[in-house]
Amino acid sequence: MVTRSSGSTPDGSRLAPATVERVAAGLGMVAAPSRPGYDLVIVGAGPAGLAAAVSAASGGLRTVMVEAVAPGGQAGTTSVIENLLGFPAGISGSELAARAVVQARRFGAGIAAGRGVGRRAGLCRRAV
Ligand SMILES: Cc1cc2nc3c(=O)[nH]c(=O)nc-3n(C[C@H](O)[C@H](O)[C@H](O)COP(=O)(O)OP(=O)(O)OC[C@H]3O[C@@H](n4cnc5c(N)ncnc54)[C@H](O)[C@@H]3O)c2cc1C
């Protein structure tokens, strides 16, 4: 996705044009895969991908998520989620996504946002 508008990052850098990739990089969400190989590449960092990353990375798998847009998926656009276990007062989708990213990173999972994955991405030898 390419937008025609410009924007700025928290450090004041101008982004023009403000593509998804540039905004994600400016917000520190894009990290080029830092390892030569991974045990698990998760396509999509919605709730399912983030939960999988926390489980896999905490279990010792070298894990990276590749997300086409931004972490959080559909849930990240939700103002309040009221049926999530452990959040009796509800939580916003963006807060949930931010917390999940911190948790996944704490276990060593990587995340590269603003990158869509196609069948020819070549990041993994075997798709499951
Ligand atoms: C407005 C709204 C309100 C909602 N409210 C609630 C609620 O209150 N309670 C509730 O339980 N559920 C709610 N939902 C549903 C909930 O958000 C979804 O069930 C949940 O997000 C599904 O998670 P997921 O990870 O399976 O998929 P998604 O959230 O769809 O995440 C998939 C991710 O994969 C990425 N992706 C897809 N293809 C590729 C590719 N080729 N390469 C890289 N990345 C890719 C997408 O960009 C996306 O970020 C709501 C949904 C919406 C839209």
Side-chain angles (χ1 to χ4, degrees), residues 43-49 66-70 72-75 77-78 80-83 115-117:
V43 179
V66 183
E67 166 55 51
V69 185
Q74 294 176 60
T77 66
T78 309
V80 62
I81 299 170
E82 295 187 278
N83 61 345
R115 296 174 180 215
V117 171

PDB file of all heavy atoms in Angstrom, residues 43-49 66-70 72-75 77-78 80-83 115-117, ligand 1:
ATOM      1  N   VAL A  43       3.398 -16.010   9.401  1.00  0.00           N
ATOM      2  CA  VAL A  43       2.898 -15.011   8.464  1.00  0.00           C
ATOM      3  C   VAL A  43       1.669 -14.355   9.073  1.00  0.00           C
ATOM      4  O   VAL A  43       0.645 -15.014   9.269  1.00  0.00           O
ATOM      5  CB  VAL A  43       2.562 -15.636   7.092  1.00  0.00           C
ATOM      6  CG1 VAL A  43       2.019 -14.578   6.139  1.00  0.00           C
ATOM      7  CG2 VAL A  43       3.804 -16.301   6.500  1.00  0.00           C
ATOM      8  N   GLY A  44       1.805 -13.074   9.410  1.00  0.00           N
ATOM      9  CA  GLY A  44       0.709 -12.328  10.005  1.00  0.00           C
ATOM     10  C   GLY A  44       0.901 -12.180  11.505  1.00  0.00           C
ATOM     11  O   GLY A  44       1.195 -13.154  12.209  1.00  0.00           O
ATOM     12  N   ALA A  45       0.770 -10.948  11.970  1.00  0.00           N
ATOM     13  CA  ALA A  45       0.911 -10.665  13.401  1.00  0.00           C
ATOM     14  C   ALA A  45      -0.397 -10.135  13.962  1.00  0.00           C
ATOM     15  O   ALA A  45      -0.440  -9.152  14.694  1.00  0.00           O
ATOM     16  CB  ALA A  45       2.060  -9.679  13.653  1.00  0.00           C
ATOM     17  N   GLY A  46      -1.497 -10.814  13.606  1.00  0.00           N
ATOM     18  CA  GLY A  46      -2.766 -10.589  14.283  1.00  0.00           C
ATOM     19  C   GLY A  46      -2.711 -11.341  15.610  1.00  0.00           C
ATOM     20  O   GLY A  46      -1.661 -11.868  16.003  1.00  0.00           O
ATOM     21  N   PRO A  47      -3.833 -11.424  16.317  1.00  0.00           N
ATOM     22  CA  PRO A  47      -3.845 -12.134  17.591  1.00  0.00           C
ATOM     23  C   PRO A  47      -3.332 -13.569  17.485  1.00  0.00           C
ATOM     24  O   PRO A  47      -2.584 -14.033  18.354  1.00  0.00           O
ATOM     25  CB  PRO A  47      -5.326 -12.096  18.002  1.00  0.00           C
ATOM     26  CG  PRO A  47      -5.857 -10.875  17.344  1.00  0.00           C
ATOM     27  CD  PRO A  47      -5.114 -10.772  16.051  1.00  0.00           C
ATOM     28  N   ALA A  48      -3.697 -14.263  16.420  1.00  0.00           N
ATOM     29  CA  ALA A  48      -3.257 -15.654  16.279  1.00  0.00           C
ATOM     30  C   ALA A  48      -1.746 -15.732  16.094  1.00  0.00           C
ATOM     31  O   ALA A  48      -1.075 -16.556  16.723  1.00  0.00           O
ATOM     32  CB  ALA A  48      -3.986 -16.319  15.101  1.00  0.00           C
ATOM     33  N   GLY A  49      -1.217 -14.874  15.234  1.00  0.00           N
ATOM     34  CA  GLY A  49       0.221 -14.883  14.992  1.00  0.00           C
ATOM     35  C   GLY A  49       1.009 -14.470  16.221  1.00  0.00           C
ATOM     36  O   GLY A  49       2.052 -15.067  16.537  1.00  0.00           O
ATOM     37  N   VAL A  66       6.178 -12.091  10.180  1.00  0.00           N
ATOM     38  CA  VAL A  66       6.236 -11.190   9.042  1.00  0.00           C
ATOM     39  C   VAL A  66       4.819 -10.681   8.823  1.00  0.00           C
ATOM     40  O   VAL A  66       3.898 -11.471   8.592  1.00  0.00           O
ATOM     41  CB  VAL A  66       6.770 -11.901   7.780  1.00  0.00           C
ATOM     42  CG1 VAL A  66       6.883 -10.910   6.628  1.00  0.00           C
ATOM     43  CG2 VAL A  66       8.127 -12.538   8.074  1.00  0.00           C
ATOM     44  N   GLU A  67       4.634  -9.384   8.938  1.00  0.00           N
ATOM     45  CA  GLU A  67       3.296  -8.791   8.930  1.00  0.00           C
ATOM     46  C   GLU A  67       3.187  -7.771   7.782  1.00  0.00           C
ATOM     47  O   GLU A  67       4.023  -6.889   7.654  1.00  0.00           O
ATOM     48  CB  GLU A  67       3.037  -8.102  10.293  1.00  0.00           C
ATOM     49  CG  GLU A  67       1.856  -7.179  10.341  1.00  0.00           C
ATOM     50  CD  GLU A  67       0.549  -7.820   9.902  1.00  0.00           C
ATOM     51  OE1 GLU A  67       0.206  -8.886  10.404  1.00  0.00           O
ATOM     52  OE2 GLU A  67      -0.138  -7.217   9.037  1.00  0.00           O
ATOM     53  N   ALA A  68       2.126  -7.928   7.000  1.00  0.00           N
ATOM     54  CA  ALA A  68       1.969  -7.076   5.825  1.00  0.00           C
ATOM     55  C   ALA A  68       1.687  -5.622   6.182  1.00  0.00           C
ATOM     56  O   ALA A  68       2.094  -4.710   5.466  1.00  0.00           O
ATOM     57  CB  ALA A  68       0.839  -7.610   4.938  1.00  0.00           C
ATOM     58  N   VAL A  69       0.990  -5.399   7.278  1.00  0.00           N
ATOM     59  CA  VAL A  69       0.583  -4.032   7.610  1.00  0.00           C
ATOM     60  C   VAL A  69       1.161  -3.635   8.964  1.00  0.00           C
ATOM     61  O   VAL A  69       2.213  -3.010   9.031  1.00  0.00           O
ATOM     62  CB  VAL A  69      -0.962  -3.887   7.597  1.00  0.00           C
ATOM     63  CG1 VAL A  69      -1.360  -2.427   7.832  1.00  0.00           C
ATOM     64  CG2 VAL A  69      -1.533  -4.372   6.268  1.00  0.00           C
ATOM     65  N   ALA A  70       0.464  -3.989  10.028  1.00  0.00           N
ATOM     66  CA  ALA A  70       0.932  -3.627  11.368  1.00  0.00           C
ATOM     67  C   ALA A  70       0.472  -4.686  12.346  1.00  0.00           C
ATOM     68  O   ALA A  70      -0.576  -5.329  12.130  1.00  0.00           O
ATOM     69  CB  ALA A  70       0.386  -2.264  11.782  1.00  0.00           C
ATOM     70  N   GLY A  72      -1.341  -6.649  15.260  1.00  0.00           N
ATOM     71  CA  GLY A  72      -2.672  -6.475  15.838  1.00  0.00           C
ATOM     72  C   GLY A  72      -3.777  -6.998  14.947  1.00  0.00           C
ATOM     73  O   GLY A  72      -4.834  -7.399  15.435  1.00  0.00           O
ATOM     74  N   GLY A  73      -3.547  -6.985  13.651  1.00  0.00           N
ATOM     75  CA  GLY A  73      -4.549  -7.484  12.723  1.00  0.00           C
ATOM     76  C   GLY A  73      -5.884  -6.766  12.885  1.00  0.00           C
ATOM     77  O   GLY A  73      -5.939  -5.584  13.228  1.00  0.00           O
ATOM     78  N   GLN A  74      -6.960  -7.496  12.658  1.00  0.00           N
ATOM     79  CA  GLN A  74      -8.303  -6.905  12.792  1.00  0.00           C
ATOM     80  C   GLN A  74      -8.532  -6.402  14.210  1.00  0.00           C
ATOM     81  O   GLN A  74      -9.131  -5.340  14.413  1.00  0.00           O
ATOM     82  CB  GLN A  74      -9.372  -7.952  12.478  1.00  0.00           C
ATOM     83  CG  GLN A  74      -9.408  -8.437  11.054  1.00  0.00           C
ATOM     84  CD  GLN A  74     -10.443  -9.539  10.902  1.00  0.00           C
ATOM     85  OE1 GLN A  74     -11.635  -9.331  11.147  1.00  0.00           O
ATOM     86  NE2 GLN A  74     -10.005 -10.715  10.489  1.00  0.00           N
ATOM     87  N   ALA A  75      -8.040  -7.163  15.183  1.00  0.00           N
ATOM     88  CA  ALA A  75      -8.264  -6.776  16.576  1.00  0.00           C
ATOM     89  C   ALA A  75      -7.615  -5.421  16.878  1.00  0.00           C
ATOM     90  O   ALA A  75      -8.106  -4.668  17.721  1.00  0.00           O
ATOM     91  CB  ALA A  75      -7.725  -7.847  17.515  1.00  0.00           C
ATOM     92  N   THR A  77      -7.684  -2.846  15.278  1.00  0.00           N
ATOM     93  CA  THR A  77      -8.523  -1.718  14.869  1.00  0.00           C
ATOM     94  C   THR A  77      -9.729  -1.543  15.793  1.00  0.00           C
ATOM     95  O   THR A  77     -10.547  -0.648  15.585  1.00  0.00           O
ATOM     96  CB  THR A  77      -9.045  -1.913  13.432  1.00  0.00           C
ATOM     97  OG1 THR A  77      -9.945  -3.035  13.420  1.00  0.00           O
ATOM     98  CG2 THR A  77      -7.901  -2.167  12.457  1.00  0.00           C
ATOM     99  N   THR A  78      -9.856  -2.397  16.791  1.00  0.00           N
ATOM    100  CA  THR A  78     -11.040  -2.410  17.649  1.00  0.00           C
ATOM    101  C   THR A  78     -10.860  -1.470  18.841  1.00  0.00           C
ATOM    102  O   THR A  78      -9.816  -1.492  19.484  1.00  0.00           O
ATOM    103  CB  THR A  78     -11.274  -3.848  18.179  1.00  0.00           C
ATOM    104  OG1 THR A  78     -11.249  -4.734  17.079  1.00  0.00           O
ATOM    105  CG2 THR A  78     -12.597  -3.968  18.884  1.00  0.00           C
ATOM    106  N   VAL A  80     -12.550  -1.436  21.722  1.00  0.00           N
ATOM    107  CA  VAL A  80     -12.533  -2.177  22.982  1.00  0.00           C
ATOM    108  C   VAL A  80     -12.941  -3.628  22.737  1.00  0.00           C
ATOM    109  O   VAL A  80     -13.883  -3.904  21.994  1.00  0.00           O
ATOM    110  CB  VAL A  80     -13.426  -1.527  24.066  1.00  0.00           C
ATOM    111  CG1 VAL A  80     -14.882  -1.490  23.625  1.00  0.00           C
ATOM    112  CG2 VAL A  80     -13.298  -2.267  25.392  1.00  0.00           C
ATOM    113  N   ILE A  81     -12.159  -4.528  23.344  1.00  0.00           N
ATOM    114  CA  ILE A  81     -12.472  -5.959  23.303  1.00  0.00           C
ATOM    115  C   ILE A  81     -12.880  -6.346  24.722  1.00  0.00           C
ATOM    116  O   ILE A  81     -12.104  -6.183  25.663  1.00  0.00           O
ATOM    117  CB  ILE A  81     -11.242  -6.780  22.859  1.00  0.00           C
ATOM    118  CG1 ILE A  81     -10.822  -6.356  21.451  1.00  0.00           C
ATOM    119  CG2 ILE A  81     -11.540  -8.279  22.901  1.00  0.00           C
ATOM    120  CD1 ILE A  81      -9.489  -6.928  21.001  1.00  0.00           C
ATOM    121  N   GLU A  82     -14.096  -6.849  24.855  1.00  0.00           N
ATOM    122  CA  GLU A  82     -14.620  -7.089  26.199  1.00  0.00           C
ATOM    123  C   GLU A  82     -14.663  -8.563  26.576  1.00  0.00           C
ATOM    124  O   GLU A  82     -14.929  -8.888  27.733  1.00  0.00           O
ATOM    125  CB  GLU A  82     -16.022  -6.490  26.326  1.00  0.00           C
ATOM    126  CG  GLU A  82     -16.004  -4.966  26.212  1.00  0.00           C
ATOM    127  CD  GLU A  82     -17.356  -4.369  26.512  1.00  0.00           C
ATOM    128  OE1 GLU A  82     -18.202  -4.363  25.585  1.00  0.00           O
ATOM    129  OE2 GLU A  82     -17.558  -3.941  27.654  1.00  0.00           O
ATOM    130  N   ASN A  83     -14.399  -9.451  25.592  1.00  0.00           N
ATOM    131  CA  ASN A  83     -14.541 -10.887  25.907  1.00  0.00           C
ATOM    132  C   ASN A  83     -13.200 -11.603  25.961  1.00  0.00           C
ATOM    133  O   ASN A  83     -13.140 -12.820  25.815  1.00  0.00           O
ATOM    134  CB  ASN A  83     -15.470 -11.559  24.877  1.00  0.00           C
ATOM    135  CG  ASN A  83     -14.926 -11.466  23.458  1.00  0.00           C
ATOM    136  OD1 ASN A  83     -14.016 -10.690  23.192  1.00  0.00           O
ATOM    137  ND2 ASN A  83     -15.488 -12.248  22.558  1.00  0.00           N
ATOM    138  N   ARG A 115       5.602  -5.853   5.606  1.00  0.00           N
ATOM    139  CA  ARG A 115       6.140  -6.791   4.611  1.00  0.00           C
ATOM    140  C   ARG A 115       5.147  -7.906   4.360  1.00  0.00           C
ATOM    141  O   ARG A 115       4.873  -8.705   5.245  1.00  0.00           O
ATOM    142  CB  ARG A 115       7.423  -7.439   5.119  1.00  0.00           C
ATOM    143  CG  ARG A 115       8.544  -6.466   5.336  1.00  0.00           C
ATOM    144  CD  ARG A 115       9.681  -7.195   5.961  1.00  0.00           C
ATOM    145  NE  ARG A 115      10.770  -6.264   6.186  1.00  0.00           N
ATOM    146  CZ  ARG A 115      12.040  -6.584   6.080  1.00  0.00           C
ATOM    147  NH1 ARG A 115      12.381  -7.799   5.754  1.00  0.00           N
ATOM    148  NH2 ARG A 115      12.984  -5.702   6.306  1.00  0.00           N
ATOM    149  N   GLY A 116       4.586  -7.953   3.188  1.00  0.00           N
ATOM    150  CA  GLY A 116       3.698  -9.056   2.847  1.00  0.00           C
ATOM    151  C   GLY A 116       4.525 -10.254   2.425  1.00  0.00           C
ATOM    152  O   GLY A 116       5.637 -10.112   1.925  1.00  0.00           O
ATOM    153  N   VAL A 117       3.994 -11.407   2.665  1.00  0.00           N
ATOM    154  CA  VAL A 117       4.680 -12.636   2.284  1.00  0.00           C
ATOM    155  C   VAL A 117       3.893 -13.313   1.186  1.00  0.00           C
ATOM    156  O   VAL A 117       2.686 -13.521   1.308  1.00  0.00           O
ATOM    157  CB  VAL A 117       4.805 -13.597   3.487  1.00  0.00           C
ATOM    158  CG1 VAL A 117       5.325 -14.957   3.042  1.00  0.00           C
ATOM    159  CG2 VAL A 117       5.732 -12.998   4.532  1.00  0.00           C
TER     160      VAL A 117
HETATM  161  C1  LIG B   1     -14.105  -3.929  14.254  1.00  0.00           C
HETATM  162  C2  LIG B   1     -13.830  -5.307  14.841  1.00  0.00           C
HETATM  163  C3  LIG B   1     -14.164  -5.561  16.155  1.00  0.00           C
HETATM  164  C4  LIG B   1     -13.926  -6.826  16.735  1.00  0.00           C
HETATM  165  N1  LIG B   1     -14.237  -7.035  18.039  1.00  0.00           N
HETATM  166  C5  LIG B   1     -14.005  -8.242  18.599  1.00  0.00           C
HETATM  167  C6  LIG B   1     -14.293  -8.481  19.973  1.00  0.00           C
HETATM  168  O1  LIG B   1     -14.737  -7.592  20.709  1.00  0.00           O
HETATM  169  N2  LIG B   1     -14.047  -9.731  20.470  1.00  0.00           N
HETATM  170  C7  LIG B   1     -13.530 -10.737  19.691  1.00  0.00           C
HETATM  171  O2  LIG B   1     -13.332 -11.849  20.192  1.00  0.00           O
HETATM  172  N3  LIG B   1     -13.239 -10.533  18.386  1.00  0.00           N
HETATM  173  C8  LIG B   1     -13.454  -9.324  17.819  1.00  0.00           C
HETATM  174  N4  LIG B   1     -13.171  -9.118  16.493  1.00  0.00           N
HETATM  175  C9  LIG B   1     -12.633 -10.231  15.716  1.00  0.00           C
HETATM  176  C10 LIG B   1     -11.123 -10.367  15.961  1.00  0.00           C
HETATM  177  O3  LIG B   1     -10.470  -9.123  15.716  1.00  0.00           O
HETATM  178  C11 LIG B   1     -10.574 -11.450  15.040  1.00  0.00           C
HETATM  179  O4  LIG B   1     -11.202 -12.661  15.359  1.00  0.00           O
HETATM  180  C12 LIG B   1      -9.062 -11.608  15.208  1.00  0.00           C
HETATM  181  O5  LIG B   1      -8.378 -10.405  14.891  1.00  0.00           O
HETATM  182  C13 LIG B   1      -8.555 -12.730  14.295  1.00  0.00           C
HETATM  183  O6  LIG B   1      -7.160 -12.823  14.521  1.00  0.00           O
HETATM  184  P1  LIG B   1      -6.210 -13.519  13.475  1.00  0.00           P
HETATM  185  O7  LIG B   1      -4.812 -13.305  13.967  1.00  0.00           O
HETATM  186  O8  LIG B   1      -6.671 -14.896  13.221  1.00  0.00           O
HETATM  187  O9  LIG B   1      -6.434 -12.753  12.080  1.00  0.00           O
HETATM  188  P2  LIG B   1      -6.288 -11.133  11.695  1.00  0.00           P
HETATM  189  O10 LIG B   1      -6.667 -10.336  12.874  1.00  0.00           O
HETATM  190  O11 LIG B   1      -7.057 -11.062  10.458  1.00  0.00           O
HETATM  191  O12 LIG B   1      -4.748 -11.027  11.473  1.00  0.00           O
HETATM  192  C14 LIG B   1      -4.125 -11.534  10.310  1.00  0.00           C
HETATM  193  C15 LIG B   1      -2.877 -10.704  10.071  1.00  0.00           C
HETATM  194  O13 LIG B   1      -2.117 -11.313   9.018  1.00  0.00           O
HETATM  195  C16 LIG B   1      -1.650 -10.329   8.147  1.00  0.00           C
HETATM  196  N5  LIG B   1      -1.462 -10.960   6.840  1.00  0.00           N
HETATM  197  C17 LIG B   1      -2.381 -11.554   6.063  1.00  0.00           C
HETATM  198  N6  LIG B   1      -1.813 -12.046   4.941  1.00  0.00           N
HETATM  199  C18 LIG B   1      -0.491 -11.766   5.026  1.00  0.00           C
HETATM  200  C19 LIG B   1       0.624 -12.010   4.169  1.00  0.00           C
HETATM  201  N7  LIG B   1       0.505 -12.660   2.991  1.00  0.00           N
HETATM  202  N8  LIG B   1       1.847 -11.554   4.547  1.00  0.00           N
HETATM  203  C20 LIG B   1       1.994 -10.914   5.736  1.00  0.00           C
HETATM  204  N9  LIG B   1       0.969 -10.651   6.588  1.00  0.00           N
HETATM  205  C21 LIG B   1      -0.258 -11.075   6.238  1.00  0.00           C
HETATM  206  C22 LIG B   1      -2.733  -9.258   8.163  1.00  0.00           C
HETATM  207  O14 LIG B   1      -2.222  -7.983   7.782  1.00  0.00           O
HETATM  208  C23 LIG B   1      -3.179  -9.284   9.620  1.00  0.00           C
HETATM  209  O15 LIG B   1      -2.447  -8.374  10.428  1.00  0.00           O
HETATM  210  C24 LIG B   1     -13.374  -7.858  15.919  1.00  0.00           C
HETATM  211  C25 LIG B   1     -13.020  -7.583  14.585  1.00  0.00           C
HETATM  212  C26 LIG B   1     -13.237  -6.331  14.055  1.00  0.00           C
HETATM  213  C27 LIG B   1     -12.826  -6.055  12.618  1.00  0.00           C
END
